[in-house]
Amino acid sequence: MQMTLYSLLIILGCGLVTWLPRVIPFILVRKIRIPVVVLRFLSYVPLCILTALFVQNLLVVREGQLPAINTAYLYATVPTVFAAVITKNLMWIVIVGVVSMSLIRYFLV
């Protein structure tokens, strides 16, 4: 497959458009002082994102029916919640969740 200048410019442009919104907030935050209330609010963002992803995968939605529960995700929830209560560390919660889900998929599904 031959790479044209147009294709290369499109790829570089898409990379730039993807990169800029991820870098600009870091540049702006270094210049200004953020109030404590905003920092406290932003500390909940990772937990909210993980919860949204979890619930989206836990409930299986079918048109015209009530949501069903994905049992594999429900089984992986038990050790993950246990790790969350014990460690209160987001990294350990994610690690336990990924490992338990991989074990369930390997042995049960």
Side-chain angles (χ1 to χ4, degrees):
M1 182 173 150
Q2 184 178 1
M3 175 73 85
T4 63
L5 179 62
Y6 178 75
S7 299
L8 180 63
L9 290 176
I10 291 293
I11 292 171
L12 291 176
C14 289
L16 182 67
V17 168
T18 303
W19 181 73
L20 280 177
R22 296 170 189 229
V23 171
I24 289 175
F26 290 109
I27 294 171
L28 294 177
V29 168
R30 289 174 49 189
K31 305 279 186 205
I32 61 174
R33 183 161 163 76
I34 300 176
V36 175
V37 174
V38 175
L39 288 174
R40 193 174 330 137
F41 171 76
L42 290 176
S43 71
Y44 291 107
V45 170
L47 186 60
C48 291
I49 291 171
L50 285 174
T51 303
L53 290 171
F54 169 71
V55 171
Q56 178 184 3
N57 288 318
L58 182 65
L59 299 176
V60 179
V61 179
R62 293 188 182 95
E63 192 172 330
Q65 298 177 359
L66 290 174
I69 294 179
N70 187 336
T71 54
Y73 284 97
L74 186 62
Y75 295 151
T77 301
V78 174
T80 305
V81 168
F82 187 68
V85 169
I86 291 176
T87 65
K88 294 180 180 60
N89 184 334
L90 192 58
M91 183 60 71
W92 280 110
I93 296 168
V94 171
I95 290 171
V96 169
V98 169
V99 168
S100 61
M101 192 66 215
S102 63
L103 290 173
I104 288 168
R105 285 186 177 171
Y106 184 75
F107 291 111
L108 297 179
V109 178

